[in-house]
């Protein structure tokens, strides 16, 4: 499925960029300042995501996903959720791929989280990416060839333009 090959920022750990055997997983040190800032931005703007989820779906919106951290304080993995819904004061969605570092977390499994605990969110509407803070950091670190491959893969999700983070 294209989502699994495209949304390559399923982060295991957060920080110092190292690609693992699963091409969708990148490791980062927990103290990477750019990733920490990206997660902080996602949490600071979660009201934009919530407004999208609570309004009727727009025909122009082709994709919506939320990234969550699974695991313990010492071992964690950030994975994107699809089919995201509001469940009272919580968010609920399905893991879009199997976890690498966390036992038992499998694609399709439903996960429920507090909105203020997510590590990223993204919406593609009218071809423009809104959110995707950790994706933007990772994309900025890719070679030109890898960046072009990522952008090409995101076409299947409807992405045509990388909006600035304030254009949501």
């Amino acid at each position: 499925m294209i989502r699994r090959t495209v949304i390559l920022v399923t982060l295991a750990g957060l920080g110092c960029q190292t690609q693992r055997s699963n091409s969708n997983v990148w490791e980062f040190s927990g103290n990477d300042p750019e990733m920490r800032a990206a997660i902080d931005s996602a949490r600071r703007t979660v009201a934009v995501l919530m407004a999208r989820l609570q309004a009727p779906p727009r025909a122009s919106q082709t994709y919506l996903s939320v990234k969550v951290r699974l695991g313990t304080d010492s071992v964690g993995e950030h994975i994107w959720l699809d089919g995201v819904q509001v469940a009272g004061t919580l968010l609920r969605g399905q893991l879009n791929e199997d976890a690498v570092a966390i036992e038992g977390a499998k694609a399709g499994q439903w996960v429920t989280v507090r909105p203020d605990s997510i590590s990223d969110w993204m919406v593609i509407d009218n071809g423009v990416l809104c959110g995707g803070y950790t994706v933007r950091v990772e994309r900025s670190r890719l070679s030109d060839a890898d960046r072009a491959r990522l952008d090409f893969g995101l076409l299947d999700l409807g992405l045509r333009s990388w909006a600035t983070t304030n254009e949501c």
Side-chain angles (χ1 to χ4, degrees):
M1 177 182 278
I2 191 70
R3 278 180 250 185
R4 292 190 186 141
T5 58
V6 170
I7 309 298
L8 61 84
V9 196
T10 302
L11 304 174
L14 282 176
C16 176
Q17 183 177 350
T18 307
Q19 192 168 10
R20 298 181 68 164
S21 59
N22 175 342
S23 66
N24 296 338
V25 178
W26 296 77
E27 292 186 27
F28 292 87
S29 156
N31 60 5
D32 180 309
E34 286 182 296
M35 274 303 170
R36 294 290 350 143
I39 290 170
D40 290 345
S41 292
R43 289 178 179 164
R44 198 172 39 255
T45 60
V46 75
V48 176
L49 168 71
M50 295 304 291
R52 290 280 186 145
L53 286 167
Q54 292 168 337
R58 299 178 187 182
S60 58
Q61 182 176 300
T62 57
Y63 189 70
L64 184 146
S65 190
V66 170
K67 188 190 294 183
V68 299
R69 184 180 188 281
L70 304 176
T72 65
D73 287 343
S74 59
V75 177
E77 187 167 342
H78 296 254
I79 300 179
W80 289 97
L81 304 179
D82 290 329
V84 179
Q85 311 161 351
V86 176
T89 60
L90 302 173
L91 295 176
R92 181 171 159 76
Q94 291 183 289
L95 298 176
N96 80 356
E97 68 181 342
D98 294 346
V100 173
I102 307 302
E103 287 278 327
K106 300 291 182 194
Q109 178 181 338
W110 286 93
V111 175
T112 303
V113 296
R114 292 186 343 264
D116 63 352
S117 71
I118 66 171
S119 49
D120 203 355
W121 61 271
M122 65 186 317
V123 172
I124 299 175
D125 191 344
N126 262 342
V128 179
L129 176 69
C130 180
Y133 300 95
T134 60
V135 176
R136 294 169 192 276
V137 171
E138 179 58 37
R139 184 178 182 268
S140 74
R141 295 174 177 181
L142 294 175
S143 69
D144 289 344
D146 287 340
R147 189 176 305 120
R149 276 192 289 279
L150 173 65
D151 291 350
F152 180 77
L154 287 169
L155 290 173
D156 285 347
L157 298 179
L159 182 68
R160 303 290 181 265
S161 172
W162 292 78
T164 64
T165 55
N166 294 328
E167 292 181 33
C168 300

